[in-house]
Amino acid sequence: MQTISFYPESREFHLSNDRISYFINVMKNGQIGHLYFGKKIRERDSFAHFMQLKTCSHTSYLYDDDLTMSLDIARQEYPGYGTTDYRYPAFRIEQENGSSISNFIYQSHHIFSGKKKLEGLPAVYAEKDDECTTLEITLEDSLMQASLILSYTVFDRYDAVMRSVRFVNHGNQQLKLTNAQSMAVDLFDSDFEMLQLDGAWSRERHVHTRKLVSGIQSVDSMRGHSSAEHNPFIALKRPETTEFQGDAYGFALVYSGNFLAQVEVSRFEHARVLLGINPLEFAWTLNPGDSFQTPEAVLVFSDSGLNGMSQIFHSLFNERLVRGPWRGKDRPVLINNWEGTYFNFNDEKILSIAEKAKEFGVELFVLDDGWFGRRDDASSSLGDWYSDKNKLVDGVEGLSRKITSIGLKFGLWFEPEMVNRDSELFRAHPDWAIATPGRSMSHGRNQYCLDFSRDEVVDCIYEMMEKVLRNSDISYVKWDMNRDITEAYGAKLGSGRQGEFFHRYMLGVYRLYEKLITAFPDILFESCASGGARFDAGMLYYAPQAWASDDTDAVERLKIQYGSSMAYPVSSIGAHVSAVPNHQLNRITSLSTRANTAFFGAFGYELDPDKLSEEEKAEIKEQVAFFKKYRHVFQYGTFYRLISPFEHNGNTSWMAVSEDRKTAVFAYYKVLATPNPKANKVRLKGLDPEAVYVCSRAGEEYYGDELMNMGFLPDLEYTGSRVRNPAVKFKNSGTDIGDFTSQLYVLERK
Ligand code: GLA
């Protein structure tokens, strides 16, 4: 059961559920201090002794008669800069006299059941009021006549604290917010490693860890979206923490634009974690009466290692971030024509793909880029969201009906935020493309971003999309975003408010999503940004799944999917089987390894079935049937990372276990074959120790405790020469021995 208690004597707030505690207090100066965040501990009236303020040489103090009260030493919850604290602050407000010094002190608080919505922003939600409790603390700066409302929600079921901040200007002067983080926390010590998810196009969310050192370490995005380069998620783990044991803190921002995730280790070795909108290029004007709401941050704690932390994010995001009819629902097996045809298709080709896919057992056909305007390559037509009848005689409207009459659902690609110079939209509204007056416009893939900070732009795109969606038979939309924003400038914002541009752009994106979801509640949205450049918790609120990467190579996917799973559930990770040689890397992997990797995701195919051999077609049919049987376990089972591709020459293992522990799917991927290899053993997780499990390999039986402690032995690698091992068979569709092999087994409780 979750509770939030206030102890008036000690002025402490204790937030907890059955497994975690989060303790904060009103410090002597009225600001909010941080006492503890971690494994649940027993309640007492006060933990003030833990604050341990001390006299310290060479610092500044708030009061004449107290040589301990320095914010330089205090561990805080939402620190400002300049009144004895010199670390990077959580916020900064410029006042009319030019000062940015503030003093927000405790005024009141409010504890209530449930959780409020964040206007215009994605956020974790409560389904029933009694499943979570919220604390709002109002702090006031009397000189500035402004308040800060710090919000904290703790759930019964999830070991997480949701935080956000609201700034309100109720005075008479104009204020300028130049930094407004969603959260800050000063952890007691800095003996942590920081885990981050980094990469680039085609190799998104690779796991990197580094030991915290004195000073600032951070990841961020300034690209206008959360980016392939860094992800708005970091974890802090103890050096001894593993995937299975030890303390791990996760911090995820429910936001899809420019962000900062930063840890600063102070001279007293406190670790200050900040997470929020990137302050670089951010400034928000608060006129009298105005307020500003930050995005939400999710803070997770687990003492069961990184897997424990990830599992909390997975269930929280699956159950209380994803909304609508697709929440918790098995995702359709799809076929996407992009790698199969690129821009080169017509009705006949599409129908031929769809008909074959139907025979495979696929459930959804997705028409990717190239169906609109006059789009035969990447140089034109973005913004013209109506069918190209040269390619599709009866338009998308007619094609969608033909596809649904085959017995498949129909899905469609859009890139709503973009425009090409060569488009009707650009010719009609050249000023809608983001540009800085007097400067040239940089392009990315020949395209320009539309100014989504302007309502009329968002509304116009909505109308075009609405018409297509209304007139066709569409159950899925892939929403792409294929470039970074440059020369950012809001033509309608005026000179004083350019710092609002990036956030207003995101609010425009969220508004369009919300309008579409409201009008078409049953459509399944998949977000995409040149692959996985906007794979974040913010997007999951609107699009329950995301295209993880344009890289469909099975071996590369091991790293991408492993990294993504740090914070994001398997159900959200778009993963497709594509053709070989792989289009991104030219690598050849077997059809079974490609599927064994993609099964752990929102599964589908992205190839031209007309190019497959009969044998491959038969194998795909089997794959789809197999996947459908175990889809719920793959997508919603408890997911365990077992062997990291970043540590063992790329070899990887992971598994998923159904909630009732009756069924488990276990996979082992061997990247490079080893001569004369040792036997491998993998200790499985999450099984019922008492139960007997039957393995799909040969019907052999194991006890759960045996599999979890002694371990499971994947098949031995092929070794020696073919001549001496005539029993070894090669499959036509690829290699099931040699490099890039995989093994996938189902364990069923007897
Ligand atoms: C991006 C996406 C791809 C595909 C192309 C179409 O690169 O990530 O999946 O949709 O755009 O242009």
Side-chain angles (χ1 to χ4, degrees), residues 338 368-369 413 445 478 480 482 528 530-531 547 550:
W338 178 242
D368 211 279
D369 194 355
W413 181 95
R445 209 194 188 203
K478 176 174 171 188
D480 211 337
N482 278 316
C528 175
S530 303
W547 182 224
D550 276 348

Side-chain angles (χ1 to χ4, degrees), residues 142-190:
S142 54
L143 185 64
M144 213 190 287
Q145 292 190 302
S147 50
L148 273 182
I149 302 158
L150 306 182
S151 165
Y152 298 81
T153 300
V154 57
F155 275 81
D156 181 11
R157 186 171 145 74
Y158 313 103
D159 298 347
V161 177
M162 267 50 71
R163 291 186 55 181
S164 70
V165 182
R166 191 171 184 82
F167 294 80
V168 186
N169 179 5
H170 37 75
N172 300 318
Q173 62 170 319
Q174 189 183 68
L175 302 174
K176 200 158 210 176
L177 199 53
T178 58
N179 178 17
Q181 296 299 293
S182 297
M183 61 143 283
V185 66
D186 286 343
L187 298 175
F188 187 84
D189 70 275
S190 62

